[in-house]
Amino acid sequence: MVTTGGEALPPALALRRAQGVAAMDGGRHDLARQAFAEVLDEAPGNLATQALYDAATEALLAAQSRAGEQFAGRAATVLPAPPWAYTLKRPAPIEPGPPPTLTLVSERANGIGDDGEWLTRNGLALPEYEVPNPMRGEPGTLPPSIPPTFGKYLLVQAIREDGFNILFYGTDYSGGRFVAVQREDDAELVALFDFEAYAHPPGTPAGERAFAAQRATWAALAGSVLLVGHAHHAEAKGGNAFITALDLDSGELLWRSAPLVANAADFVVHRGHVLSGYGAGAEPGHLYVLDAVTGKTVSKTRVKSGPDYLFLRTGQLLVRCYDTDYVFELRHGGG
């Protein structure tokens, strides 16, 4: 037992605290804070650990403030209004591949609303950081290099992907107006795009603009291409739920998908194709396969209700829908 600050720590907790100190020394104040919080959960009266936790919190906030200054000095690239139908400007520089065929392996009714249990049972999680929620007093799990605000806008989503962070800033947690791409190793800001012109299709009545704004809801990188999904509430019809391919350096539009292909929580890129889902609650929905080079819809597969999550795992696509869970095998060509 190690005694510090008036309370003895068992060896396992002492080791965890030592790991937190090492994380602080390495500048990962987020990981240090997490380690100290775990110790305090088991030993809430340990004053030395509480002091370390407070110091890690202060250092984390200071580092995020410095990161925020870098963002604040960067002007966002304002993107022009997009097309509101399938459009190919030029092929995206993505390696093509044979289109996958979705072959049903299993389907089973779920408990509706037990998404967390499904994710845990299958060992799945979206590649995201937990963002701070000041209104709920939730601190989040951001590393020091990610600022929790951009000007007056909140960080509403933070995706980790292949050495990059894709950050969404908006007025609320329904999605982002601004999308930033940050290199993970050195925190360099690679791109910062303003998608305000994507919010409303032409002719949207003034009375609907406040609640029907389409915001960025998911994004993925494919080399020098940024794929971004925009959607609003699931009951919306028509010019909604697109995926757009942009040149990461310039923001140039390469292609835009047909509407009504992507309002699930995520989409995935697989061997030159994008797999996405669209549906509204308990109404029948579809899974879509898009050519990632052109954005053209290759195929669609009907499912019993609206897709919520899509995950790739060892040649299979796991899909969580409103009331049904699916597993599909991905077959390519003759294989």
Side-chain angles (χ1 to χ4, degrees):
M1 303 285 281
V2 176
T3 303
T4 309
E7 182 175 340
L9 287 182
L13 291 184
L15 174 61
R16 189 70 180 111
R17 189 175 67 186
Q19 291 170 341
V21 172
M24 280 192 73
D25 290 343
R28 288 303 303 267
H29 312 301
D30 55 320
L31 300 181
R33 192 173 181 274
Q34 179 181 343
F36 300 143
E38 291 174 7
V39 174
L40 290 171
D41 283 343
E42 300 295 327
N46 191 277
L47 300 181
T49 304
Q50 182 64 58
L52 288 168
Y53 176 85
D54 293 341
T57 300
E58 183 177 352
L60 176 62
L61 293 175
Q64 289 176 342
S65 177
R66 291 192 296 271
E69 291 172 2
Q70 177 193 6
F71 273 50
R74 175 76 173 266
T77 299
V78 178
L79 300 179
W84 297 92
Y86 170 70
T87 301
L88 173 62
K89 296 286 190 180
R90 66 178 176 90
I94 295 172
E95 183 176 355
T101 299
L102 276 58
T103 302
L104 181 65
V105 175
S106 68
E107 67 175 274
R108 54 179 285 186
N110 63 41
I112 303 178
D114 60 343
D115 292 4
E117 191 277 333
W118 178 80
L119 292 166
T120 300
R121 184 175 71 248
N122 288 285
L124 302 171
L126 292 177
E128 296 179 301
Y129 292 107
E130 179 186 341
V131 300
N133 189 323
M135 292 171 283
R136 296 181 179 177
E138 297 171 352
T141 59
L142 299 179
S145 59
I146 297 180
T149 59
F150 171 57
K152 66 179 182 180
Y153 296 93
L154 297 171
L155 179 66
V156 298
Q157 193 169 18
I159 301 170
R160 309 187 308 272
E161 183 180 330
D162 296 333
F164 292 89
N165 300 317
I166 307 176
L167 311 175
F168 298 67
Y169 292 90
T171 55
D172 58 49
Y173 294 92
S174 64
R177 168 179 171 175
F178 299 90
V179 176
V181 179
Q182 179 194 51
R183 207 182 313 276
E184 190 174 30
D185 57 359
D186 59 8
E188 179 186 354
L189 190 59
V190 176
L192 177 60
F193 298 128
D194 181 353
F195 283 95
E196 182 61 16
Y198 282 56
H200 301 102
T204 302
E208 296 182 10
R209 295 178 71 86
F211 68 87
Q214 296 185 40
R215 297 303 183 192
T217 56
W218 191 254
L221 287 167
S224 62
V225 178
L226 177 66
L227 301 163
V228 184
H230 280 81
H232 55 91
H233 59 86
E235 290 75 19
K237 305 298 181 185
N240 176 40
F242 295 85
I243 296 175
T244 307
L246 302 171
D247 180 272
L248 182 61
D249 293 328
S250 66
E252 175 195 358
L253 187 142
L254 305 175
W255 55 255
R256 200 171 206 214
S257 73
L260 304 182
V261 301
N263 69 344
D266 66 325
F267 55 80
V268 295
V269 182
H270 175 69
R271 296 178 63 173
H273 291 81
V274 181
L275 310 181
S276 64
Y278 179 85
E283 297 298 319
H286 288 90
L287 302 173
Y288 289 86
V289 177
L290 310 181
D291 185 327
V293 177
T294 66
K296 187 176 180 61
T297 299
V298 174
S299 67
K300 67 178 184 178
T301 301
R302 182 162 174 160
V303 288
K304 290 182 177 178
S305 57
D308 292 326
Y309 297 98
L310 295 85
F311 287 91
L312 292 173
R313 188 172 69 184
T314 59
Q316 294 183 327
L317 180 69
L318 279 64
V319 182
R320 170 73 174 190
C321 292
Y322 173 77
D323 59 12
T324 309
D325 299 332
Y326 290 92
V327 177
F328 293 92
E329 181 183 354
L330 297 176
R331 297 181 178 176
H332 298 83

